[in-house]
Amino acid sequence: MTVLDQVLDRIDADLAASHERLFAFLRIPSISTDPAHAADCRAAAAHLAADLQGIGIAASLSETAGHPVVLGRSGDGDAGRVLFYGHYDVQPVDPLDLWESPPFEPRIVTLPDGRKAIVARGASDDKGQVMTFVEACRAFVAVTGKLPLPVTILIEGEEECGSKSLPAWITQNRAALGASLALVCDTGMWDAATPAITTALRGLLYEEVEITASNRDLHSGLFGGPARNPIRVLTNILGGLHDDDGRITIPGFYDGITDPPADVLAAWRKLDLTPENFLKPVGLSEPAGERGRSVIEQLFSRPAADINGIWGGYTGAGSKTVIPSKAFAKVSFRLVAGQDPDTIRQAFRAFVRARLPSDCSATFEDHTGAPAVAVPWDLPQLAAARRALTDEWGRDALLVGSGASIPIVADFKRLVGMDTLLIGFALDDDRIHSPNEKYDLRSFHKGIRSWARVLAALAA
Amino acid sequence: MTVLDQVLDRIDADLAASHERLFAFLRIPSISTDPAHAADCRAAAAHLAADLQGIGIAASLSETAGHPVVLGRSGDGDAGRVLFYGHYDVQPVDPLDLWESPPFEPRIVTLPDGRKAIVARGASDDKGQVMTFVEACRAFVAVTGKLPLPVTILIEGEEECGSKSLPAWITQNRAALGASLALVCDTGMWDAATPAITTALRGLLYEEVEITASNRDLHSGLFGGPARNPIRVLTNILGGLHDDDGRITIPGFYDGITDPPADVLAAWRKLDLTPENFLKPVGLSEPAGERGRSVIEQLFSRPAADINGIWGGYTGAGSKTVIPSKAFAKVSFRLVAGQDPDTIRQAFRAFVRARLPSDCSATFEDHTGAPAVAVPWDLPQLAAARRALTDEWGRDALLVGSGASIPIVADFKRLVGMDTLLIGFALDDDRIHSPNEKYDLRSFHKGIRSWARVLAALAA
């Protein structure tokens, strides 16, 4: 019997106790955004630090400008060290009257389809997911006396209110982290049967543009025709931002982008993320991105441009015959690996300016610029983690992207140079941030076993 | 000495008394929009009716749903009868503290360049202009005992608050009008030396369009790319409403439009309505209408399209990564003779619908539709009036268009089938609707003489 098999057996045997330990953690109402719960946040951090110490992991609270972080270190030296990140804080619980049982009194329920789940605020996001990793560590220590590789554990308390204090803390404590790879358990499975590693997060570039034509609002009867209308200018420019094939027309926009490897694309093609089941629920039917790219490519590996807001002229009830002086839009770009936000920003601004009539001007406001984050497709630890998950779930683990940004992952890359493997066991029906949040017992149990396999694989 | 010469001499000799009569009219604060001045409005109407009766014109007040109209008739039968229209009501006077003298105490001032002018609310708009016609009639009656042709005089009291009651009154009193041509004195000269007849008023078609894509707002990270953005759809459609030559691209939009006669175009080309002096004061420099058409053509004889308002998505401070469900715009068209508003409306809606992605829908709201009004270029009375004005001012009278609509002119055409000659003597610096409104003594004096010549010419 291999060490890993012994660890997995230990996990199975200890599962009831694991439930109890998660329940104790869930009972602490660590709502980070509510100042009335500041002491609860500190209590949750102290509870977790004590639990890690009980396993033999040197852990303590470390102060930040806000709620403290829990920092634990196990093992000697930094060779092969990995950092596990999660958060102990939770979302508020209102509307409280929609909860079927008190949010901080966790209980096990049986769902209509027979699945069993833990119901409580934080059951999935992120206390349950954090404890899958902690329990895997506990089993390793119980069987072998130690973890199979050096591990740093960083659990913050402000993720649900924007992780405001964390970047500064990381900058100050970079040396204490000592890892070259981050593991994050705050994402989901592809579906209840299929594990997934999120390897790419799109970046975001968000610009506001203001077009000025005349120096005051004009009467459209007295001036209509000869007088430049800035809404016409704006719609003309933004209406040309995509060509008829859905491609973004900014020169150089796609420079530097590479396609995922063939095996990843092949795996994606087998998935059921079709227009029918992705777009139909929101009332759409026709993929609006680049023609010839599947919905999943458009989301995971291709950039996108959206006009998030537009305004100008008269927008009240009825009619007003005005040619406004100004028109405005908020335009954002979802970026992928290979695209530099500053370069795209300048290219967008040049695109607008090149299309301005000579008597109009444009000013820009920079709202956000964050690059995409992507794990290199050929990273050895990625392949190792993927095999480990595949072994546990009996189904090929998918490498997926996420259309949205997760700032901490970009911070790890930017501040510490770490790549991140996002491995999580949440399901789409977990109701995170909503009443009656739950975490499937199967996610919890096989999540612990998954981490045991991943740690073993990374240590190999 | 001709009769006309005698009439003109009489006008010159009676000018001081003409001033006094205008002053008496100006002293009545007939602010139509303010219910506190309802009795003043009726007093102004009664004053004017009494004055007409004094000339020998049968005149009386006729009730409407609002303030009464003054209706006067002179001459027998309706052969060659003309209708003179003006209004006795005036704009409010606030801000009162910006007036250099009380607005209803008319006085004669000398302007910095030596011109003399009457200052009072209504001096130009429209009591002064109305009295140019009344005084011409008075002089004719004084010299010949009668007017040279049958005349109906219709002076309303609600022009400054939208002429709400007039269309219904006209419909009910169509037979009493009895005229086939209307004369209106409520417009301006081309410049202080050049008389003008406004022969064309653009029509207006005003539509609101609502584009719907998804059935709810979406997160642009999770959906950006595959999900259709209705602002992108709207900007794409409206951004294509004009081609690179400034022409409107709606199929059939220009059908039925004819150019003015060569002599009118030639006269326009001599005018100084250049980009430099028309656009520069409002901060523009490049005519935005059809390439190859002068500024004056773009304003007077060509249709235009304007987006008067646009909105959708997030328009507050900062950024929000939303793909909205809906986007909106208000779009209006200035129409010229030959264009039918309903036809253009349907063509615009078809243009939008033809460019909609299959999973988007568009709904439309009809705000306004009014056809252009144009006096036929070959109307004999137009040529006669033009010659009369040219004789008085010693400079060719211009035939001009107006980019804006004047509803009463459209109503005369629609309800009574009358064409209208808009002949006025206001100047750009008359400050109508503003404090210290004035009317040049020269406008008043030569305005009276102009109407005497026009009446004589129309009677010939």
Side-chain angles (χ1 to χ4, degrees):
Chain A
M1 196 181 219
T2 65
V3 167
L4 177 59
D5 286 337
Q6 294 173 51
V7 170
L8 295 173
D9 282 353
R10 168 74 190 178
I11 289 168
D12 297 347
D14 199 36
L15 187 59
S18 297
H19 290 167
E20 287 306 318
R21 286 187 289 267
L22 172 56
F23 277 29
F25 195 23
L26 289 171
R27 288 188 188 104
I28 307 170
S30 47
I31 302 170
S32 56
T33 197
D34 183 351
H37 286 281
D40 293 319
C41 289
R42 186 167 292 271
H47 173 94
L48 186 63
D51 193 22
L52 294 176
Q53 287 160 358
I55 306 173
I57 297 172
S60 61
L61 303 199
S62 180
E63 298 303 325
T64 74
H67 302 305
V69 303
V70 178
L71 180 64
R73 276 180 66 95
S74 171
D76 298 325
D78 288 343
R81 179 174 290 275
V82 297
L83 178 143
F84 178 82
Y85 163 89
H87 60 93
Y88 65 76
D89 64 320
V90 299
Q91 280 277 315
V93 296
D94 49 285
L96 189 59
D97 59 353
L98 294 186
W99 285 82
E100 291 167 9
S101 57
F104 296 108
E105 295 178 18
R107 62 191 184 115
I108 293 175
V109 303
T110 303
L111 304 178
D113 62 2
R115 285 183 288 157
K116 287 187 184 299
I118 301 161
V119 173
R121 169 58 82 228
S124 174
D125 179 21
D126 188 36
K127 287 173 175 172
Q129 302 239 60
V130 163
M131 290 306 288
T132 59
F133 187 84
V134 173
E135 293 297 324
C137 292
R138 190 187 320 273
F140 255 110
V141 172
V143 170
T144 69
K146 62 182 178 64
L147 296 181
L149 75 175
V151 171
T152 300
I153 295 181
L154 171 63
I155 311 293
E156 74 152 319
E158 295 185 301
E159 198 273 348
E160 298 293 4
C161 52
S163 298
K164 292 185 294 288
S165 309
L166 197 61
W169 185 91
I170 290 174
T171 301
Q172 286 167 12
N173 294 274
R174 193 182 290 131
L177 302 179
S180 54
L181 180 74
L183 305 171
V184 173
C185 192
D186 201 14
T187 52
M189 309 264 289
W190 176 255
D191 58 36
T194 315
I197 304 177
T198 303
T199 60
L201 303 169
R202 292 198 289 190
L204 178 64
L205 171 67
Y206 201 118
E207 287 273 289
E208 185 165 325
V209 56
E210 171 183 330
I211 305 282
T212 302
S214 55
N215 56 22
R216 60 178 175 86
D217 288 0
L218 304 174
H219 185 293
S220 73
L222 299 178
F223 283 88
R228 187 72 59 183
N229 184 323
I231 308 179
R232 171 177 155 195
V233 173
L234 184 64
T235 58
N236 185 259
I237 294 173
L238 296 183
L241 198 54
H242 295 81
D243 67 15
D244 290 344
D245 290 327
R247 280 177 65 87
I248 294 155
T249 56
I250 295 171
F253 184 79
Y254 292 97
D255 289 357
I257 300 175
T258 54
D259 278 333
D263 65 321
V264 172
L265 285 173
W268 287 355
R269 272 194 288 274
K270 290 182 195 156
L271 301 177
D272 55 355
L273 200 72
T274 59
E276 175 76 10
N277 59 27
F278 182 72
L279 293 177
K280 195 176 177 186
V282 296
L284 298 171
S285 61
E286 193 186 330
E290 296 166 83
R291 194 184 305 276
R293 303 276 182 180
S294 67
V295 167
I296 206 162
E297 280 183 278
Q298 293 180 13
L299 276 181
F300 289 175
S301 63
R302 302 300 297 177
D306 265 299
I307 307 165
N308 304 105
I310 194 166
W311 68 104
Y314 181 67
T315 60
S319 62
K320 182 178 175 185
T321 51
V322 64
I323 299 175
S325 167
K326 291 174 183 290
F328 306 82
K330 294 177 192 274
V331 181
S332 70
F333 299 88
R334 296 287 165 174
L335 307 179
V336 299
Q339 291 182 296
D340 172 57
D342 285 336
T343 304
I344 300 293
R345 185 190 309 287
Q346 294 313 322
F348 170 65
R349 292 180 177 188
F351 176 89
V352 172
R353 291 198 179 102
R355 284 155 184 78
L356 278 183
S358 64
D359 52 2
C360 291
S361 62
T363 60
F364 298 88
E365 187 178 349
D366 162 11
H367 282 306
T368 304
V373 179
V375 178
W377 298 108
D378 55 359
L379 188 77
Q381 294 101 318
L382 174 61
R386 192 178 182 188
R387 280 192 302 272
L389 289 173
T390 301
D391 288 347
E392 174 58 29
W393 294 85
R395 187 178 288 212
D396 277 350
L398 292 174
L399 303 187
V400 300
S402 169
S405 308
I406 300 181
I408 183 63
V409 178
D411 288 339
F412 283 153
K413 185 72 178 178
R414 180 171 59 90
L415 300 174
V416 195
M418 282 193 295
D419 286 315
T420 297
L421 301 182
L422 292 140
I423 300 172
F425 310 99
L427 298 179
D428 288 345
D429 65 357
D430 274 358
R431 294 188 290 265
I432 65 168
H433 296 204
S434 296
N436 306 306
E437 177 179 349
K438 63 90 177 163
Y439 198 43
D440 279 26
L441 284 188
R442 188 162 185 263
S443 286
F444 185 59
H445 182 197
K446 290 179 75 69
I448 301 171
R449 291 174 53 98
S450 295
W451 281 120
R453 291 183 188 273
V454 169
L455 289 174
L458 294 176
Chain B
M1 195 179 222
T2 66
V3 167
L4 177 59
D5 287 335
Q6 295 175 51
V7 171
L8 295 174
D9 282 354
R10 167 75 192 178
I11 288 168
D12 296 347
D14 199 36
L15 186 60
S18 297
H19 291 167
E20 287 307 319
R21 285 186 289 266
L22 172 56
F23 278 28
F25 195 22
L26 289 171
R27 288 190 188 104
I28 307 170
S30 48
I31 302 170
S32 56
T33 198
D34 184 350
H37 286 281
D40 294 319
C41 289
R42 187 168 292 269
H47 172 94
L48 186 62
D51 193 24
L52 295 177
Q53 286 161 0
I55 306 174
I57 297 173
S60 59
L61 303 199
S62 180
E63 297 303 324
T64 73
H67 302 305
V69 302
V70 177
L71 179 64
R73 278 179 66 95
S74 171
D76 299 324
D78 289 340
R81 178 175 290 276
V82 297
L83 178 144
F84 178 83
Y85 164 90
H87 61 93
Y88 64 76
D89 64 322
V90 299
Q91 280 277 315
V93 295
D94 48 284
L96 191 57
D97 59 352
L98 294 185
W99 284 81
E100 291 166 10
S101 57
F104 296 109
E105 297 177 15
R107 60 191 186 117
I108 293 176
V109 303
T110 302
L111 302 179
D113 62 2
R115 285 182 288 157
K116 289 188 181 299
I118 301 161
V119 173
R121 169 59 81 228
S124 175
D125 181 20
D126 187 37
K127 288 174 174 170
Q129 301 238 62
V130 164
M131 290 306 288
T132 58
F133 187 85
V134 173
E135 293 297 325
C137 291
R138 192 187 318 275
F140 255 110
V141 172
V143 170
T144 70
K146 61 180 178 65
L147 296 183
L149 75 176
V151 172
T152 300
I153 295 180
L154 171 63
I155 311 294
E156 73 152 320
E158 295 185 301
E159 198 273 347
E160 298 295 2
C161 53
S163 298
K164 292 185 294 289
S165 309
L166 197 60
W169 184 91
I170 290 174
T171 301
Q172 286 168 10
N173 294 274
R174 193 184 291 130
L177 301 179
S180 54
L181 179 74
L183 305 172
V184 173
C185 191
D186 201 14
T187 52
M189 309 263 290
W190 176 255
D191 57 35
T194 315
I197 304 176
T198 303
T199 60
L201 303 168
R202 292 198 290 191
L204 178 64
L205 170 66
Y206 201 118
E207 286 273 291
E208 184 166 325
V209 56
E210 170 183 328
I211 304 281
T212 302
S214 56
N215 55 22
R216 60 179 175 85
D217 286 1
L218 303 174
H219 185 292
S220 73
L222 300 177
F223 282 89
R228 187 72 59 183
N229 184 323
I231 308 179
R232 171 177 155 197
V233 173
L234 185 63
T235 58
N236 185 259
I237 293 172
L238 296 184
L241 198 54
H242 295 82
D243 67 15
D244 291 343
D245 290 328
R247 279 177 66 87
I248 294 155
T249 56
I250 296 172
F253 184 79
Y254 293 97
D255 289 357
I257 300 175
T258 54
D259 278 333
D263 66 320
V264 172
L265 285 173
W268 288 355
R269 271 194 289 273
K270 290 184 197 158
L271 301 177
D272 55 354
L273 200 71
T274 59
E276 175 75 11
N277 59 25
F278 182 72
L279 293 176
K280 195 176 178 185
V282 297
L284 298 171
S285 61
E286 190 185 333
E290 295 165 81
R291 194 184 304 276
R293 302 278 183 179
S294 66
V295 166
I296 207 163
E297 277 182 280
Q298 292 180 12
L299 276 181
F300 289 175
S301 63
R302 302 300 298 177
D306 266 299
I307 307 166
N308 303 104
I310 192 166
W311 68 104
Y314 181 68
T315 60
S319 62
K320 183 178 175 186
T321 51
V322 64
I323 299 176
S325 167
K326 292 174 184 290
F328 306 81
K330 293 177 194 274
V331 181
S332 69
F333 299 88
R334 295 287 166 176
L335 307 179
V336 299
Q339 291 182 296
D340 172 58
D342 285 337
T343 303
I344 300 294
R345 184 190 309 287
Q346 294 313 321
F348 170 67
R349 293 182 176 186
F351 176 89
V352 172
R353 290 200 178 102
R355 284 154 184 78
L356 278 183
S358 64
D359 52 3
C360 290
S361 62
T363 59
F364 299 87
E365 188 178 349
D366 161 12
H367 282 307
T368 304
V373 178
V375 177
W377 298 108
D378 56 358
L379 190 76
Q381 296 101 320
L382 174 61
R386 193 178 181 187
R387 280 191 303 272
L389 289 172
T390 300
D391 288 347
E392 174 59 28
W393 294 86
R395 187 177 288 212
D396 278 350
L398 292 174
L399 303 187
V400 301
S402 168
S405 308
I406 300 181
I408 184 64
V409 178
D411 288 339
F412 283 154
K413 186 70 179 181
R414 181 170 58 90
L415 300 175
V416 194
M418 280 192 297
D419 286 315
T420 297
L421 300 183
L422 290 141
I423 300 171
F425 310 99
L427 298 179
D428 288 345
D429 65 356
D430 275 357
R431 296 188 288 267
I432 64 168
H433 296 203
S434 295
N436 306 306
E437 177 179 349
K438 64 87 179 165
Y439 198 45
D440 280 25
L441 284 187
R442 188 163 184 264
S443 286
F444 186 60
H445 181 196
K446 291 179 76 69
I448 301 169
R449 291 173 54 98
S450 295
W451 281 121
R453 290 183 188 272
V454 169
L455 289 174
L458 294 176

